[in-house]
């Protein structure tokens, strides 16, 4: 995952935001902090938020946060479980789109042409052969194999912490 600690400069400090507001520059009215480090890289992320209530407001003039979106403040989002919501949202959308098609198949059965067009166009193979929409895969399969590099020989090491 991504995180911030004191060894690194902040992306946006309270003092910088206060200075902008004092000079009349209020064009930055919302910030989403995907790292969700409280008082971290976005210094005015004072607490994490939830999916149900994703924003709070922080006022640069008073250095106060309130749980509602209010005028003359910056809306701050810091949902620490946001990456997990993407799969939930995608699954719901996919299910909502697929359900009517499945009902059609269950109620009406297959037509002589097979599946409804939305499903037929999504099928990669049928009866042991590639469907017309995916015949380009044959050309890809004929390409020479890509050369894979041994990571031990790499000059750059990327370390990703997935422990949370």
């Amino acid at each position: 995952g991504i995180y911030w600690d004191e060894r690194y400069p902040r992306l946006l400090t309270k003092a910088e935001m206060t200075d902008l507001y004092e000079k009349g520059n209020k064009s930055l009215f919302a910030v989403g902090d995907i790292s969700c480090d409280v008082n971290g890289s976005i210094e005015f992320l004072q607490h994490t938020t939830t999916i149900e209530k994703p924003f709070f407001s922080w006022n640069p003039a008073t250095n106060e946060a309130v749980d509602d979106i209010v005028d003359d403040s910056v809306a701050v989002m810091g949902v620490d479980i946001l990456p997990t919501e993407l799969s939930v949202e995608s699954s719901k959308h996919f299910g909502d789109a697929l359900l009517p098609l499945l009902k059609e198949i269950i109620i009406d059965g297959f037509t002589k042409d097979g599946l409804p067009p939305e499903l037929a166009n999504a099928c990669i193979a049928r009866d042991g052969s590639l469907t017309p929409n995916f015949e380009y895969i044959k050309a890809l399969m004929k390409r020479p194999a890509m050369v894979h590099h041994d990571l031990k020989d790499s000059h750059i090491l990327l370390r990703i912490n997935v422990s949370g």
Side-chain angles (χ1 to χ4, degrees):
I2 186 169
Y3 75 98
W4 176 88
D5 75 26
E6 294 172 357
R7 295 178 291 171
Y8 305 105
R10 288 190 159 94
L11 296 175
L12 196 52
T13 67
K14 291 178 179 181
E16 290 168 332
M17 281 302 299
T18 299
D19 187 50
L20 286 172
Y21 264 60
E22 286 174 353
K23 292 178 179 174
N25 184 348
K26 299 179 182 182
S27 58
L28 182 62
F29 55 87
V31 173
D33 184 352
I34 61 169
S35 67
C36 297
D37 291 315
V38 175
N39 300 315
S41 62
I42 306 296
E43 187 177 20
F44 48 90
L45 177 68
Q46 296 182 347
H47 59 83
T48 59
T49 58
T50 65
I51 293 298
E52 296 77 24
K53 194 160 178 65
F55 289 95
F56 68 88
S57 291
W58 177 74
N59 185 317
T62 63
N63 191 28
E64 293 177 355
V66 294
D67 285 334
D68 296 312
I69 302 296
V70 296
D71 291 339
D72 213 29
S73 292
V74 179
V76 184
M77 180 186 71
V79 179
D80 56 358
I81 62 162
L82 191 58
T84 63
E85 283 299 307
L86 296 175
S87 59
V88 170
E89 184 176 289
S90 298
S91 295
K92 179 166 179 13
H93 178 77
F94 181 76
D96 289 346
L98 186 61
L99 190 58
L101 299 171
L102 292 177
K103 286 179 181 176
E104 180 182 329
I105 291 171
I106 292 168
I107 293 169
D108 299 336
F110 288 99
T111 65
K112 65 178 180 152
D113 297 324
L115 298 171
E118 297 89 346
L119 292 178
N121 290 334
C123 288
I124 297 172
R126 183 171 183 181
D127 298 325
S129 298
L130 292 169
T131 59
N133 288 346
F134 294 93
E135 287 187 350
Y136 69 88
I137 293 175
K138 289 179 186 174
L140 294 175
M141 292 170 58
K142 292 178 183 175
R143 288 184 174 181
M146 293 180 62
V147 176
H148 295 283
H149 297 283
D150 186 354
L151 288 178
K152 290 184 277 186
D153 295 333
S154 295
H155 297 291
I156 298 172
L157 175 63
L158 175 63
R159 183 174 183 166
I160 300 172
N161 179 1
V162 294
S163 64

